[in-house]
Amino acid sequence: MRVREVHGFDLTPVEARRLQEELAGRVEEGPPLEIGEVRHVAGADVSTGRGMAYATVAVLDFPGLSVVEVRGFEAPLRFPYVPGLLAFREVPAVIGALREVETPVDALICDAQGRAHPRRMGLACHVGLFVDVPTVGCAKSRLVGDFREPGEEKGSVSDLLHGGEVVGRVVRTRDGVSPVFVSVGNRMDLGSAVELVLACCTRYRLPEPVRQAHNAANRLRREGQMGLL
DNA sequence: GCGACAG
DNA sequence: ATCTTGTCGC
């Protein structure tokens, strides 16, 4: 996959925060994703340990959701975990893995926030500026915003509000499970993002591409490899 | 000053 | 996220 060199990552937290304010203006909300045209969906995740970041990207066919490619990339952690600045800690490793993906991907789901971020620049938006693929943020917990608990049935949703705007949606992906937080990454629309995430949650709470990437990242960290295809 | 806080 | 055993629930 083609990856652009938007900027370097040798920054301090103060510089990183200022860069986010500038980059947020480059994020594109829309157009709607033609989900009927989607052939492949990828998921990205990062596992950390012993000063290293182990990033993986799993590519699945759609709507079948079987794994067709898995790539991994490890890089030293050069930035601390600071709420709101996660991208500066994990993106270097993520783009390393994305660079090695050979399958044409139509959409990428990141295990993090997109526009549901204090400066509308979550990791999913950040990754979306480095690639041409539309990105979606699907996090397991909230970073910012207020919301009402969605209904208990799969498919129930509620708006995630912050600073007077709808920055994302709280989505129940399976009956009875805790909801996930979906928001636009880049080149995508919120409705499409929710639709895609729901279409990827056939058996588990998290979208299958993200689950596969998560498992591969843990294997990469523990065993130094992910298993072939 | 106090509480919140993706992974 | 990671560190970790047993244990409560479907």
Side-chain angles (χ1 to χ4, degrees):
Chain A
M1 182 184 297
R2 171 89 93 221
V3 175
R4 252 174 309 232
E5 336 281 324
V6 182
H7 64 74
F9 284 87
D10 188 19
L11 307 167
T12 65
V14 171
E15 297 172 324
R17 212 168 270 114
R18 186 159 64 66
L19 178 56
Q20 285 185 325
E21 297 176 341
E22 179 203 321
L23 296 178
R26 301 193 206 175
V27 173
E28 294 175 38
E29 297 241 5
L33 180 70
E34 294 301 326
I35 210 166
E37 311 291 286
V38 175
R39 298 287 207 74
H40 297 99
V41 182
D45 189 43
V46 178
S47 179
T48 61
R50 296 168 300 187
M52 295 292 281
Y54 301 82
T56 56
V57 173
V59 182
L60 282 62
D61 59 32
F62 187 87
L65 302 180
S66 48
V67 181
V68 300
E69 183 180 0
V70 180
R71 300 276 123 156
F73 188 87
E74 49 187 278
L77 287 169
R78 306 186 302 166
F79 200 92
Y81 169 68
V82 179
L85 300 180
L86 179 65
F88 296 90
R89 178 177 174 79
E90 304 190 339
V91 168
V94 172
I95 59 180
L98 285 172
R99 212 186 301 276
E100 304 195 343
V101 173
E102 297 175 0
T103 309
V105 172
D106 303 303
L108 172 66
I109 303 176
C110 298
D111 180 29
Q113 308 290 351
R115 300 228 90 179
H117 176 279
R119 290 168 291 283
R120 306 291 180 270
M121 196 54 205
L123 184 149
C125 298
H126 217 121
V127 169
L129 291 179
F130 283 74
V131 298
D132 290 314
V133 180
T135 61
V136 176
C138 179
K140 297 181 292 299
S141 61
R142 180 197 79 98
L143 174 58
V144 296
D146 302 302
F147 65 97
R148 293 187 337 183
E149 192 70 16
E152 290 300 312
E153 325 72 45
K154 169 176 183 174
S156 295
V157 302
S158 61
D159 291 339
L160 179 60
L161 306 162
H162 182 248
E165 50 185 326
V166 178
V167 297
R169 259 185 203 114
V170 186
V171 183
R172 192 82 64 184
T173 57
R174 299 292 289 163
D175 286 9
V177 303
S178 50
V180 298
F181 299 76
V182 179
S183 57
V184 170
N186 194 24
R187 301 168 191 238
M188 165 88 68
D189 136 272
L190 183 54
S192 305
V194 171
E195 188 181 3
L196 182 67
V197 166
L198 282 172
C200 288
C201 295
T202 0
R203 299 187 57 176
Y204 303 92
R205 178 173 82 119
L206 300 181
E208 200 58 20
V210 171
R211 281 190 65 256
Q212 294 295 340
H214 189 283
N215 292 333
N218 284 325
R219 291 192 311 253
L220 179 59
R221 176 168 60 76
R222 304 191 323 256
E223 303 155 27
Q225 61 179 352
M226 307 164 291
L228 310 175
L229 287 178

